[in-house]
């Protein structure tokens, strides 16, 4: 058994693990990363963020071609199968793996491919695919093993027509009808993807509205546009039984008495932290019922030299936040200024159209009796949106009517996840520099989507008296 000594060992090479490893390595620490797959990138690259967003982009291109009258001069509308679209996503995944592999090599971070587990708080045992065992001795360990779809015991995921958000990437045909159980972020994104491919989708929501953490107007807009794309949304429903038929589809029995049948079912209801098999019992760490670890504001677990970051600690379960959490945990270890508690994360939801938001919602400000005002810019009036043929959407700025401080940014429409960062930059300014006047007193390129900030700011200021 080979034995190696490191300052920091990171379990997992997704965004959280990569962020941790790079920050520690750049500050002179000897770092190793343990990755269970044969390639780096974690679930983000291979099963989650990258493939689903690449799928979405390809489907969006198909929709644009099939709905733009100009393209009728080229030919009739074309429809692509799910496997066809998935192949375009695989190209992006391969490029991401190549890029990230080079990061580890360039920063002299050793990567061990195999299953890592704790022998004690300073010792990680790595078992590779051939069964060989290597021992890594570490001063500090960062757990960044991510999460996987939650699978209730009474659902038969071995049935060929029942999928979760991981196994759906192995779908080798395009179903005519699809039930998506769970209308969270992942469920809504896949509803957009499949309805864009012409699949008849039933979206089952266990709550009374879609993505209730969003501003109500944005949530309503998402509901409208999904329905407008022929997605049937059923709120306040829970499953009683899911029955896979012999090569004839799936029947969903709901507690309300409804029975639904489709060619396939996609389960998108919750996720579980990847903590099983890590040997946590050997270091007295106890995950909760969803496999998640509890950490303090420094991302340290109850064992002083063991940290945890990313999806394995739960909220907000976003790749963007996970990378910063990893950097922060490593920043704590190396005692540099790279540390911060990540709590100002913009929401990025890649439905069609996409959604992004940051800060307070109207409901939160109203409940807190904050005197706010609203500035809106509708994309249908923005020149760049007219040029690109993307007129659906709006930018909404919530600001304090007395101090003019920007309190929330909410965007629905094409490029929303990009547009929100302009508002984020202003909201993070200190000493009174966070003001809606910035958008009025700054010249924006024309035509751009950024111009929506000027339009929204003027709209909001015109409401003041």
């Amino acid at each position: 058994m080979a034995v190696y000594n490191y300052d920091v060992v990171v379990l997992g090479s997704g965004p959280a693990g990569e962020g941790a490893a790079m920050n520690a390595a750049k500050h002179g620490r000897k770092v190793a990363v343990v990755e269970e797959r044969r390639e780096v990138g974690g679930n983000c690259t291979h099963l989650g963020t990258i493939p689903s967003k690449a799928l979405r982009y390809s489907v969006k291109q198909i929709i644009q071609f099939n709905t733009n009258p100009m393209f009728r001069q080229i030919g009739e509308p074309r429809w692509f199968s799910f496997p066809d679209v998935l192949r375009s996503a695989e190209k992006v995944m391969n490029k991401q793996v190549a890029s990230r592999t080079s990061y580890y090599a360039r920063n002299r971070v050793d990567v061990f491919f195999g299953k890592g587990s704790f022998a004690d708080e300073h010792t990680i045992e790595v078992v590779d695919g051939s069964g060989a065992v290597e021992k890594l001795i570490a001063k500090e360990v960062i757990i960044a093993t991510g999460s996987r779809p939650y699978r209730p015991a009474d659902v038969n995921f071995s049935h060929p027509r029942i999928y979760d958000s991981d196994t759906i990437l192995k779908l080798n045909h395009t179903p005519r009808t699809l039930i998506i159980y769970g209308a969270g972020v992942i469920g809504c994104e896949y509803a957009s993807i499949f309805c864009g491919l012409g699949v008849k989708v039933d979206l089952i929501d266990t709550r009374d509205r879609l993505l209730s953490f969003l501003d109500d107007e944005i949530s309503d807009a998402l509901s409208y546009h999904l329905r407008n794309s022929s997605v049937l949304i059923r709120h306040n429903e829970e499953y009683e039984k899911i029955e896979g038929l012999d090569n004839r589809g799936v029947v969903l029995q709901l507690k309300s008495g409804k029975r639904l049948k489709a060619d396939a079912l996609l389960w998108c209801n919750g996720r579980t932290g990847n903590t099983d098999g890590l040997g946590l019992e050997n270091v007295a760490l106890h995950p909760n019922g969803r496999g998640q670890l509890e950490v303090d504001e420094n991302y340290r677990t109850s064992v002083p030299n063991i940290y945890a970051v990313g999806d394995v600690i739960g909220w907000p379960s976003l790749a963007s936040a996970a990378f910063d959490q990893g950097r922060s945990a490593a920043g704590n270890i190396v005692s540099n200024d790279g540390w911060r508690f990540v709590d100002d994360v913009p929401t990025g939801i890649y439905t069609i159209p996409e959604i992004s938001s940051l800060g307070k919602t109207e409901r939160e400000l109203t409940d807190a009796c904050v005197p706010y005002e609203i500035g809106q810019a509708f994309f249908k009036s923005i020149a760049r949106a007219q040029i690109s043929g993307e007129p659906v959407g709006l930018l909404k700025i919530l600001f304090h009517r007395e101090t003019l401080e920007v309190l929330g940014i909410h965007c629905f429409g094409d490029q929303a996840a990009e547009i929100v960062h302009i508002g984020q930059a202003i909201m993070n300014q200190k000493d009174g520099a966070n003001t809606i006047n910035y958008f009025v007193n700054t010249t924006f390129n024309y035509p751009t989507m950024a111009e929506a900030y000027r339009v929204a700011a003027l709209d909001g200021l015109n409401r003041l008296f």
Side-chain angles (χ1 to χ4, degrees):
M1 178 188 297
V3 180
Y4 305 90
N5 290 281
Y6 291 95
D7 296 315
V8 180
V9 169
V10 181
L11 301 178
S13 69
E18 181 183 305
M22 296 304 142
N23 198 15
K26 288 181 183 297
H27 288 85
R29 300 307 193 267
K30 186 178 181 183
V31 182
V33 168
V34 179
E35 172 53 53
E36 189 170 1
R37 284 188 180 83
R38 291 178 293 180
E39 296 177 317
V40 299
N43 288 341
C44 172
T45 297
H46 297 279
L47 295 172
T49 302
I50 296 302
S52 65
K53 277 51 176 180
L55 273 169
R56 174 201 178 272
Y57 180 74
S58 295
V59 170
K60 190 167 178 291
Q61 287 183 306
I62 294 170
I63 293 172
Q64 286 178 323
F65 177 83
N66 286 332
T67 57
N68 191 328
M70 183 181 71
F71 291 126
R72 296 292 67 79
Q73 300 176 31
I74 300 174
E76 294 302 311
R78 295 288 187 270
W79 298 104
F80 294 78
S81 70
F82 185 82
D84 287 336
V85 178
L86 185 59
R87 276 192 286 273
S88 67
E90 290 171 349
K91 295 177 183 177
V92 179
M93 292 157 63
N94 292 335
K95 291 177 181 178
Q96 284 286 301
V97 169
S99 296
R100 299 185 184 288
T101 299
S102 71
Y103 300 159
Y104 292 107
R106 191 161 63 239
N107 289 279
R108 299 181 180 180
V109 174
D110 295 335
V111 180
F112 292 82
F113 294 102
K115 176 68 176 178
S117 61
F118 286 92
D120 58 53
E121 61 264 32
H122 290 286
T123 306
I124 301 295
E125 292 184 349
V126 182
V127 181
D128 67 16
S130 66
V133 180
E134 295 174 297
K135 185 178 291 186
L136 313 182
I137 309 298
K139 296 176 183 177
E140 316 280 349
V141 179
I142 301 176
I143 301 172
T145 47
S147 66
R148 64 183 183 275
Y150 167 67
R151 287 186 164 191
D154 59 348
V155 178
N156 179 18
F157 287 95
S158 64
H159 190 278
R161 297 295 183 97
I162 300 176
Y163 300 88
D164 61 29
S165 56
D166 284 358
T167 58
I168 195 67
L169 297 176
K170 298 178 181 177
L171 181 67
N172 58 9
H173 69 286
T174 306
R176 293 171 302 154
T177 56
L178 177 69
I179 296 170
I180 298 179
Y181 187 85
V185 171
I186 296 173
C188 288
E189 289 180 347
Y190 271 109
S192 290
I193 289 171
F194 277 101
C195 76
L197 290 172
V199 178
K200 183 179 178 181
V201 176
D202 274 79
L203 180 60
I204 312 302
D205 186 10
T206 59
R207 299 179 174 86
D208 60 357
R209 65 184 297 121
L210 293 183
L211 307 181
S212 57
F213 58 87
L214 292 174
D215 185 87
D216 290 348
E217 189 173 6
I218 303 299
S219 174
D220 290 343
L222 174 63
S223 296
Y224 170 79
H225 284 282
L226 283 176
R227 289 189 173 104
N228 195 48
S229 300
S230 301
V231 175
L232 179 57
I233 304 171
R234 302 176 188 265
H235 293 295
N236 295 313
E237 298 281 9
E238 292 186 33
Y239 80 97
E240 179 74 36
K241 181 181 179 182
I242 297 175
E243 181 184 1
L245 308 177
D246 293 338
N247 297 317
R248 292 184 292 113
V250 181
V251 172
L252 172 64
Q253 173 76 48
L254 296 170
K255 289 183 178 180
S256 64
K258 300 182 184 72
R259 284 171 57 85
L260 312 177
K261 183 181 178 182
D263 292 339
L265 182 139
L266 172 57
W267 177 273
C268 294
N269 198 38
R271 296 187 68 82
T272 299
N274 291 325
T275 49
D276 47 324
L278 290 181
L280 296 182
E281 64 278 4
N282 297 328
V283 292
L285 283 179
H286 306 286
N288 64 20
R290 281 294 180 100
Q292 299 164 345
L293 292 170
E294 184 176 345
V295 296
D296 63 17
E297 64 178 10
N298 300 310
Y299 299 104
R300 185 183 277 114
T301 68
S302 58
V303 180
N305 73 302
I306 300 177
Y307 296 74
V309 289
D311 283 15
V312 79
I313 67 172
W315 184 90
S317 296
L318 295 169
S320 55
F323 184 85
D324 287 344
Q325 289 171 344
R327 279 185 51 81
S328 295
N332 233 310
I333 292 171
V334 302
S335 299
N336 73 345
D337 60 2
W339 175 87
R340 68 184 179 95
F341 181 69
V342 182
D343 61 353
D344 58 345
V345 184
T347 297
I349 302 170
Y350 294 86
T351 47
I352 302 175
E354 66 190 65
I355 298 168
S356 195
S357 64
L358 180 68
K360 300 297 184 180
T361 66
E362 285 199 63
R363 191 182 334 119
E364 290 170 334
L365 293 174
T366 299
D367 291 345
C369 297
V370 174
Y372 73 93
E373 195 47 88
I374 307 167
Q376 292 181 317
F378 291 92
F379 287 6
K380 64 183 179 181
S381 301
I382 303 296
R384 184 63 178 267
Q386 295 168 352
I387 293 169
S388 63
E390 297 284 357
V392 173
L394 82 158
L395 171 68
K396 180 160 71 170
I397 304 175
L398 306 181
F399 64 99
H400 198 289
R401 63 176 295 119
E402 296 168 2
T403 67
L404 303 185
E405 176 187 2
V406 179
L407 305 172
I409 301 289
H410 305 278
C411 191
F412 177 81
D414 186 49
Q415 301 182 58
E418 302 280 357
I419 294 168
V420 74
H421 292 300
I422 300 172
Q424 179 187 39
I426 300 308
M427 289 177 68
N428 285 336
Q429 300 305 303
K430 308 296 183 184
D431 302 323
N434 174 8
T435 170
I436 196 171
N437 279 330
Y438 172 85
F439 302 121
V440 178
N441 298 328
T442 298
T443 302
F444 289 90
N445 280 332
Y446 178 84
T448 61
M449 292 308 299
E451 183 205 0
Y453 278 96
R454 178 179 59 81
V455 175
L458 288 170
D459 175 72
L461 291 172
N462 285 339
R463 298 177 191 276
L464 299 180
F465 57 91

